């Protein structure tokens, strides 16, 4: 548990302004700056390293040391160069990734990335069925259990439990092979196209995230869930972790990607904030 740090005041101000700008969005649980309270902060991001999992055809993460050590001037100095594909590790899919004319990473409004969130836990089913498709029934059951509809403007996080396999590629992806031929070997849960359409047509969500490599399941050939969601400028967060530490509702998410101009995706640092 951490006390509310002064360095997050700006983020809180952004959250409050985002909330107040939308009369229909659920009221933020974050405090006004003059009412400092304690929050539990949970990191939902995997770190980047040589173990980071990428799509089987994507360039993997590389970190090259520029300098590390004492300088001639007598002070210590460290610097690196890194390179990475947009879509790997914990990252964001911008709408343009699957929607012509969709928002690029730098164009996504902060209101889509910061705000109240809910969690749909399907881990019991998904651990039993590696190709499990999260369906409309899972959302309807959540609403029945919570005695409420998914709040307008929510960030929806999908917990399959598969983040526990990360970074073991054969368990997490279904294969440790790479290249185009490995695509047919991918096996992991995802969101069904029918459920994606239901969220778009029946609910008004701001963003969606999942603890697997893709919002579409591993055996998808047409990536319909991507197309449906991103065509409506609903960004997707992929390769999340620690969703088991979240309640089903009443928490906030801050999901800030690297602001790549024109990017179809980017590395993402995403955290959840729970009021103590």
């Amino acid at each position: 548990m951490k006390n509310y740090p002064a360095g997050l005041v700006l983020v809180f101000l952004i959250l409050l302004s985002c909330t107040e700008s939308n009369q229909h969005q659920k009221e933020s649980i974050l405090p006004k700056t003059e009412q400092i309270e304690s929050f539990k902060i949970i990191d939902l991001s995997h770190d980047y390293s040589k173990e980071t999992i990428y799509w089987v055809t994507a360039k993997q993460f590389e970190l090259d040391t520029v300098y590390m050590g004492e300088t001639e001037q007598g002070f210590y100095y460290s610097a690196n160069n890194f390179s990475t594909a947009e879509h790997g590790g914990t990252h964001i899919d911008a709408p343009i990734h699957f929607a012509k004319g969709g928002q690029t990473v730098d164009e996504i409004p902060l209101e889509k990335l910061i705000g109240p969130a809910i969690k749909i836990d399907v881990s019991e089913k998904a651990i039993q069925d590696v190709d499990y498709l999260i369906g409309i029934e899972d959302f309807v059951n959540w609403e029945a259990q919570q005695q409420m509809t998914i709040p307008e403007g929510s960030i929806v996080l999908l917990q399959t439990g598969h983040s526990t396999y990360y970074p073991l590629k054969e368990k997490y992806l279904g294969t440790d092979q790479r290249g185009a031929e490995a695509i047919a070997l991918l096996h992991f849960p995802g969101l069904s196209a029918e459920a994606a359409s239901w969220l778009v047509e029946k609910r008004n969500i701001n963003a969606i995230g999942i603890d697997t490599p893709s919002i579409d399941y591993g055996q998808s050939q047409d990536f319909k869930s991507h197309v449906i969601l991103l065509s409506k400028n609903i960004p997707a967060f992929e390769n999340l972790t620690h969703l088991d530490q979240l309640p089903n509702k009443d928490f906030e998410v801050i999901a800030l990607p690297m602001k790549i101009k024109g990017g179809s995706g980017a590395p993402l640092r995403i955290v959840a904030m729970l009021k103590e």
Side-chain angles (χ1 to χ4, degrees), residues 13-26:
L13 289 173
I14 293 171
L15 277 164
L16 289 169
S17 65
C18 290
T19 302
E20 291 169 0
S21 68
N22 187 339
Q23 295 295 327
H24 300 291
Q25 184 169 316
K26 178 184 173 184

Side-chain angles (χ1 to χ4, degrees), residues 53 126-131 160-177 185-189 211-213 218 239:
I53 291 181
I127 291 298
Q128 297 297 320
D129 180 2
V130 70
D131 295 317
T160 70
H162 278 250
S163 64
T164 59
Y165 300 141
Y166 196 101
L168 303 175
K169 293 180 180 178
E170 192 165 1
K171 292 279 286 182
Y172 188 71
L173 289 168
T175 179
D176 57 4
Q177 297 184 35
L185 305 176
L186 294 172
H187 289 277
F188 50 80
D211 58 352
T212 70
N239 292 317

Side-chain angles (χ1 to χ4, degrees), residues 93-261:
D93 282 0
I96 200 171
H97 188 38
F98 275 86
K100 184 177 181 180
Q103 294 165 341
T104 55
V105 172
D106 55 305
E107 294 173 333
I108 300 173
L110 288 174
E111 291 89 342
K112 295 278 189 178
L113 306 175
I114 303 172
I118 66 164
K119 181 185 77 172
I120 310 293
D121 182 1
V122 298
S123 56
E124 288 189 9
K125 300 175 183 177
I127 291 298
Q128 297 297 320
D129 180 2
V130 70
D131 295 317
Y132 184 73
L133 283 169
I134 302 166
I136 296 172
E137 181 181 3
D138 293 306
F139 294 99
V140 172
N141 288 342
W142 183 93
E143 292 185 334
Q145 292 165 3
Q146 302 302 319
Q147 298 183 336
M148 61 185 294
T149 58
I150 295 172
E152 185 172 348
S154 290
I155 295 172
V156 176
L157 303 184
L158 307 175
Q159 179 189 346
T160 70
H162 278 250
S163 64
T164 59
Y165 300 141
Y166 196 101
L168 303 175
K169 293 180 180 178
E170 192 165 1
K171 292 279 286 182
Y172 188 71
L173 289 168
T175 179
D176 57 4
Q177 297 184 35
R178 287 186 53 77
E181 65 279 359
I183 294 175
L185 305 176
L186 294 172
H187 289 277
F188 50 80
L191 180 69
S192 72
E194 293 76 16
S197 294
W198 184 84
L199 286 171
V200 166
E201 296 167 4
K202 304 296 185 180
R203 301 294 181 267
N204 182 19
I205 67 172
N206 275 351
I208 194 164
I210 194 168
D211 58 352
T212 70
S214 171
I215 201 71
D216 278 285
Y217 81 130
Q219 286 291 291
S220 176
Q221 299 296 311
D222 48 23
F223 301 97
K224 283 187 176 180
S225 292
H226 272 90
V227 172
I228 291 165
L229 294 164
L230 300 185
S231 293
K232 297 298 183 180
N233 280 328
I234 298 173
F237 314 140
E238 297 172 334
N239 292 317
L240 302 184
T241 189
H242 297 150
L243 298 187
D244 59 312
Q245 298 181 32
L246 301 179
N248 291 327
K249 61 179 181 179
D250 297 331
F251 63 95
E252 300 270 341
V253 160
I254 302 171
L256 298 179
M258 181 186 294
K259 194 175 180 180
I260 301 174
K261 187 172 184 178

Side-chain angles (χ1 to χ4, degrees), residues 10-52:
L10 179 58
V11 173
F12 288 154
L13 289 173
I14 293 171
L15 277 164
L16 289 169
S17 65
C18 290
T19 302
E20 291 169 0
S21 68
N22 187 339
Q23 295 295 327
H24 300 291
Q25 184 169 316
K26 178 184 173 184
E27 183 178 355
S28 173
I29 65 169
L30 293 178
K32 296 181 180 179
T33 54
E34 67 269 18
Q35 297 174 331
I36 305 302
E37 301 180 39
S38 294
F39 284 79
K40 185 175 183 181
I41 302 175
I42 298 174
D43 193 347
L44 307 182
S45 317
H46 293 288
D47 55 20
Y48 277 81
S49 72
K50 62 182 180 181
E51 292 185 321
T52 300

Side-chain angles (χ1 to χ4, degrees), residues 70-85:
E70 298 292 331
T71 67
E72 294 180 356
Q73 292 82 4
F75 57 83
Y76 178 85
Y77 178 74
S78 177
N80 304 294
N81 290 328
F82 73 88
S83 61
T84 177

